[in-house]
Amino acid sequence: MSCVYLATIGQRPQAITVALDNLRTRYVYERIGLLHTDPIHSGIAEPLRELRLEIARAYPELPVDLHEIRALDGSALLDIEDESAAEAYFYGVLDALLLYKQKGYSVHLMVAGGRKAMSVYAVYAASLLLDEHDAVWTVLTPPDIMQRNLWHVPPAERARIQVTPMPFLPSRFAPTTL
């Protein structure tokens, strides 16, 4: 089964590549998906731009899918600031997960970036659509490594990075492939 690495983005996009480097020692990914809010005016605009450049440089063989999460009315979503924005974020994550599941991908969802609420909504969406072939992860990075803003941790320090599975119950209602 083909596998996609799908990640939420926050102010520290280095977490995405640090975790991906760790996971690639155990898994083979066919593509990368990035869940993000408005790519121009939101607080993740610059981190998203930098992340895309680093992914293109470090993983040129992996296609990148951008999944912009928009407000319920279709307008730009800058952040989760109210109930409507939270609902939009939840449905945006569901849409991206459903897209990959319907195409037959195993999904590895990384919830290391974004506000805490974004991670909660992403894990909740995962519990509705992901099955026993999927995974939900977070990355735990020591503060001294985080402060260096490294895109890739030197091999001698990689053991200090913990990519931890998040507990979720695989859905009995996971979609089947088309």
Side-chain angles (χ1 to χ4, degrees), residues 2-8 20 23 26-29 31 33 97 100-101 105-111 130 132-137:
S2 297
C3 194
V4 62
Y5 177 76
L6 181 63
T8 60
L20 181 56
L23 289 169
R26 296 180 277 165
Y27 302 98
V28 175
Y29 294 104
R31 58 192 324 106
L97 292 172
Y100 289 119
K101 293 305 293 179
Y105 284 97
S106 173
V107 176
H108 283 200
L109 177 62
M110 173 57 62
V111 291
L130 299 187
E132 66 276 0
H133 302 290
D134 304 308
V136 180
W137 307 96

Side-chain angles (χ1 to χ4, degrees), residues 3-164:
C3 194
V4 62
Y5 177 76
L6 181 63
T8 60
I9 297 175
Q11 296 289 326
R12 291 184 178 258
Q14 295 86 352
I16 293 168
T17 54
V18 166
L20 181 56
D21 288 344
N22 184 301
L23 289 169
R24 282 177 48 131
T25 65
R26 296 180 277 165
Y27 302 98
V28 175
Y29 294 104
E30 186 174 299
R31 58 192 324 106
I32 297 172
L34 301 175
L35 295 160
H36 63 88
T37 53
D38 183 77
I40 298 169
H41 303 304
S42 74
I44 60 90
E46 185 61 20
L48 176 61
R49 188 188 69 73
E50 292 172 358
L51 177 61
R52 290 181 67 195
L53 290 172
E54 183 56 28
I55 288 173
R57 187 198 66 72
Y59 317 107
E61 74 285 3
L62 293 175
V64 176
D65 305 318
L66 298 175
H67 300 279
E68 181 182 352
I69 298 174
R70 301 190 64 81
L72 295 175
D73 66 3
S75 64
L77 181 65
L78 301 179
D79 202 346
I80 294 182
E81 297 174 343
D82 57 28
E83 187 176 338
S84 176
E87 185 178 352
Y89 192 84
F90 172 72
Y91 285 120
V93 174
L94 272 178
D95 288 344
L97 292 172
L98 184 59
L99 173 83
Y100 289 119
K101 293 305 293 179
Q102 287 178 330
K103 290 182 177 182
Y105 284 97
S106 173
V107 176
H108 283 200
L109 177 62
M110 173 57 62
V111 291
R115 300 212 183 275
K116 288 178 186 86
M118 292 175 175
S119 295
V120 170
Y121 286 111
V123 172
Y124 181 61
S127 72
L128 295 176
L129 291 179
L130 299 187
D131 60 33
E132 66 276 0
H133 302 290
D134 304 308
V136 180
W137 307 96
T138 194
V139 62
L140 306 173
T141 307
D144 64 299
I145 293 177
M146 273 186 13
Q147 290 169 354
R148 289 185 272 163
N149 290 323
L150 300 173
W151 288 103
H152 308 277
V153 175
E157 294 184 86
R158 284 192 184 150
R160 296 180 62 209
I161 305 299
Q162 295 181 34
V163 179
T164 305

